[in-house]
Amino acid sequence: MPKGYWVAHVDVDDMDRYKDYVAANAAPFAEYGAKFLIRGGPKEVREGQTRARTVVIEFRDFATAKACYDSVAYQQAKALRDPVSTGDMEIIEGYGD
């Protein structure tokens, strides 16, 4: 079964308050088996435009990735992120098994 992924591009306006979101998202990510593949880090934009941070999170499957996002615990964490960042995020089904 193909894995599911969150792919996010984020600009953070207040890193100190963003850390509250990071702390709050730990529980739902653990519950849904999230695995960070990319979490910020150095990068080179070769084409187009993007935001300051890129985050890629892997889940067991597409349904689990969606369930994590829709969970009450993650939505509570997201409420901490929304006022201090701007971003684009999509949930994508992986290719193959």
Side-chain angles (χ1 to χ4, degrees), residues 22-67:
V22 171
N25 71 31
F29 285 165
E31 178 182 347
Y32 289 90
K35 177 183 175 184
F36 281 89
L37 302 179
I38 299 170
R39 193 172 198 175
K43 67 179 178 182
E44 292 183 18
V45 178
R46 297 292 180 109
E47 296 184 28
Q49 297 177 350
T50 189
R51 297 186 184 276
R53 292 176 56 84
T54 298
V55 178
V56 178
I57 306 171
E58 181 182 81
F59 293 86
R60 174 178 58 244
D61 54 38
F62 189 54
T64 302
K66 293 188 299 182

Side-chain angles (χ1 to χ4, degrees), residues 65-87:
K66 293 188 299 182
C68 181
Y69 185 84
D70 293 336
S71 71
V72 171
Y74 181 73
Q75 289 300 310
Q76 290 172 339
K78 181 181 174 300
L80 299 172
R81 184 195 76 210
D82 287 343
V84 298
S85 67
T86 304

Side-chain angles (χ1 to χ4, degrees), residues 82-96:
D82 287 343
V84 298
S85 67
T86 304
D88 305 298
M89 195 275 255
E90 55 193 348
I91 300 173
I92 303 172
E93 184 176 71
Y95 179 74

